[in-house]
């Protein structure tokens, strides 16, 4: 998922990505799962850079359920960064509601 924007300084920091629960349902907590855990996430284009801040990774949908990771230590995000969600296995795009709110189908990369 691409990192298209950031919240202003002084507000709880979030990496806002162009994907979300409609692409990665399991990482978001399956529409409000009581116990959710963070899947490992990283700024994929800067894997060697140490974490600099505790942030949440949130999707682009207009719902508070569009949360992919909470309070994870990542490098400072920049517009255009590529955010990777690891250990998604079969719970990636094919398990999510990809057409939710008419969003385009994303590119899925298997490593």
């Amino acid at each position: 998922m691409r990192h298209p924007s950031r919240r202003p300084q002084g507000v709880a920091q979030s990496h806002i990505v162009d994907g979300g629960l409609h692409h990665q349902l399991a990482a978001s907590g399956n529409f409000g799962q009581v116990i959710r855990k963070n899947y490992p996430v990283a700024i994929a284009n800067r894997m060697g850079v140490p974490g600099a801040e505790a942030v949440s990774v949130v999707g682009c949908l207009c719902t508070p359920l569009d949360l992919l990771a909470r309070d994870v230590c990542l490098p400072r995000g920049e517009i255009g960064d590529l955010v990777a969600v690891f250990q998604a296995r079969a719970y990636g795009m094919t398990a999510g509601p990809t057409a939710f709110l008419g969003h385009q189908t994303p590119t899925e990369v298997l490593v």
Side-chain angles (χ1 to χ4, degrees):
M1 291 172 259
R2 290 276 173 202
H3 186 315
S5 61
R6 266 184 80 80
R7 287 192 179 165
Q9 291 294 343
V11 177
Q13 291 300 302
S14 295
H15 292 324
I16 304 167
V17 297
D18 61 0
L21 72 83
H22 55 308
H23 302 147
Q24 187 43 260
L25 185 61
S28 73
N30 291 306
F31 289 119
Q33 180 176 337
V34 176
I35 299 173
R36 74 169 295 282
K37 64 176 187 156
N38 289 331
Y39 279 63
V41 295
I43 305 291
N45 55 299
R46 291 190 282 131
M47 293 291 288
V49 178
E53 59 186 356
V55 299
S56 292
V57 178
V58 299
C60 58
L61 300 180
C62 54
T63 172
L65 297 176
D66 201 5
L67 172 69
L68 299 171
R70 181 190 309 271
D71 298 328
V72 294
C73 188
L74 293 174
R76 180 175 167 79
E78 300 296 336
I79 294 173
D81 279 346
L82 185 64
V83 177
V85 178
F86 298 102
Q87 299 177 356
R89 299 180 191 91
Y91 303 106
M93 186 173 62
T94 58
T98 55
F100 189 66
L101 294 176
H103 285 267
Q104 293 182 357
T105 303
T107 301
E108 186 174 42
V109 178
L110 304 175
V111 181

